[in-house]
Every structure is written in structure tokens, then in C-alpha cells.
Amino acid sequence: MNVRFLNVNTVSPEELSLWESWLTADKRQRIDRLPADKRLLSLCGDALGRIMLGEVLHLAPEAVTITESESGKPLTDGAFFSISHSGDVVGCAVSDREVGLDLEQIRSVPQRLGRALEGWQTPEEFWHLWTRREAAI
């Protein structure tokens, strides 16, 4: 398994322009509908995933085909991957078997989420439990 992280604040405008050129029309439309802060994270997550998958599949990043399952999980032939983002960081895990990755910036716990998990005392404990659960799903 290979896992990498990227701080989106370190990406140059030239890289962003290149990565945008890799998007399908459908993916570009979906990203364009997102709030501004989520657009950057989504674009960087897509690019990081394509770069890592390209290395495993021996393809140029722009040649990597990513589809979606009925539930919306991104898929590709020949490798398993998971992309997550939180705060200013995106992460991607690529493996030869099912893999899950979840990132969460430590912050206060929304009341509705806090009721969903038992056994935590601090926000750090909550987000640790939450990311384990999300990655497993």
C-alpha cells in the first residue's frame, strides 16, 4: 500500500492548470458546483489519485480512467484507492486490495455527530474514532 498527503497551499497555479486539464467534462462540472474551498481540495485529490494510480498502472495521470460505483465510490481497473481531504490537506491511499482512508482536522465535535459515537472524552478521541469508522466504511 502507498499513502501520500498533499498540502493544497503548496500547489502552484501551473500545476492546478495542468491538473484541471486532466478532468473529464463531468468531473469538471461536479467540481465547479462545489463551494470555492472544496473545489481546490477536490481538484488536488483527483490529481493526487491520478498521479499515484498512474504509477501503479504504468499510465500517464491523464490516461487513468476513474469511474464511480452506484454508491459514488471512485473506482479504476487494476488498483484500489481512497481519497480524503480535510482542512488544507488531501490524502490518497492506493493498494492491491480494498482500502479506506479518512482525514479529519481536529476541531470541535458537532453535537449530532457526537451522539453517533460512544467512548470518547476529547475532540481528539472523537476524531480518531470517527476516521477509523469512516475509513472502514
Side-chain angles (χ1 to χ4, degrees):
M1 178 173 29
N2 187 7
V3 180
R4 291 189 201 157
F5 301 95
L6 171 69
N7 183 319
V8 300
N9 296 318
T10 65
V11 179
S12 72
E14 294 79 20
E15 287 174 305
L16 290 175
S17 180
L18 173 64
W19 295 349
E20 286 177 351
S21 75
W22 298 347
L23 297 174
T24 63
D26 181 54
K27 181 72 173 186
R28 182 182 306 274
Q29 287 177 348
R30 282 187 279 148
I31 288 176
D32 286 345
R33 287 192 296 261
L34 295 172
D37 60 328
K38 301 291 185 205
R39 281 194 296 258
L40 178 61
L41 290 166
S42 186
L43 174 60
C44 290
D46 183 88
L48 182 59
R50 288 176 176 280
I51 290 166
M52 292 176 67
L53 288 166
E55 292 168 358
V56 170
L57 301 172
H58 307 288
L59 295 170
E62 63 272 20
V64 172
T65 301
I66 297 174
T67 60
E68 288 185 0
S69 69
E70 289 181 16
S71 65
K73 180 175 174 53
L75 304 168
T76 194
D77 289 332
F80 296 94
F81 69 106
S82 181
I83 299 169
S84 183
H85 52 74
S86 184
D88 295 332
V89 177
V90 297
C92 180
V94 175
S95 181
D96 60 355
R97 63 185 72 166
E98 285 285 341
V99 64
L101 176 72
D102 187 47
L103 301 175
E104 292 293 344
Q105 186 175 31
I106 302 297
R107 59 191 185 279
S108 63
V109 178
Q111 194 172 28
R112 67 177 174 74
L113 292 181
R115 290 189 301 263
L117 287 177
E118 295 179 7
W120 62 275
Q121 300 295 317
T122 67
E124 290 83 2
E125 290 174 351
F126 173 84
W127 291 113
H128 177 77
L129 290 169
W130 183 265
T131 56
R132 289 186 62 175
R133 185 177 102 176
E134 288 286 307
I137 291 172

